[in-house]
Amino acid sequence: MWVSLFCLALIAGIAFFQSIHGLMSSLIFCVLTILCLVLAFAVYEQVAFDLLYAWKPDLALPISLAGCFSVPLILMRVGMDKLIQRAALLPAMVDRVGGMVFGVITALLIVGVLITAIQMLPFGGSVLGFARFVQRPDSEDIDATDSWSQEDEEEKATRMQEGHDQGILLSPDRFAV
């Protein structure tokens, strides 16, 4: 629940920020985000195993995914801001609405990569009340007073086999991947 609210707030903030900058700036940032997303998913495993695995094996994949996405995105965004100093002159409504549309797409991609990297972290069962899949408790944790019955176990096993998971609102992680 808290992770979904955090994601929604982040998506709304990024989309609002992009709508203020206008259509052309948001379009350029969306294209840069897509390019960096493709680059990050193409090379993050190689970077993790070549550079980071000896240092922190548990954190190598999430750090490399976040780094391979954010560093080129920031560098290209700053470069484009230096290269293109003036936005196109469009009517205000077209500029804001177009900026909002591309801002939402950009926000979903950025938050999706962030959430994907967070899901790779070696946390225990849940983070801020969010667990992707229903987890079966260990056998020593179950006693006679627990409400974990055979029917619950079968139902949850069926849900896991069918691919039912507890997703984040708007599924930015699936959208990015």
Side-chain angles (χ1 to χ4, degrees), residues 33-109:
T33 303
I34 291 170
L35 290 175
C36 290
L37 180 76
V38 170
L39 173 73
F41 277 111
V43 301
Y44 83 95
E45 289 175 334
Q46 190 69 31
V47 170
F49 291 121
D50 287 348
L51 301 176
L52 301 173
Y53 196 73
W55 174 63
K56 291 280 187 186
D58 290 342
L59 302 176
L61 288 173
I63 289 173
S64 66
L65 177 64
C68 288
F69 176 73
S70 61
V71 170
L73 183 63
I74 291 169
L75 292 175
M76 287 197 300
R77 175 64 189 206
V78 169
M80 283 297 191
D81 285 343
K82 299 286 185 191
L83 184 64
I84 303 172
Q85 295 182 356
R86 183 174 171 213
L89 298 175
L90 298 170
M93 191 60 141
V94 171
D95 202 32
R96 296 289 167 116
V97 171
M100 180 65 79
V101 168
F102 286 110
V104 167
I105 295 169
T106 303
L108 283 171
L109 293 172

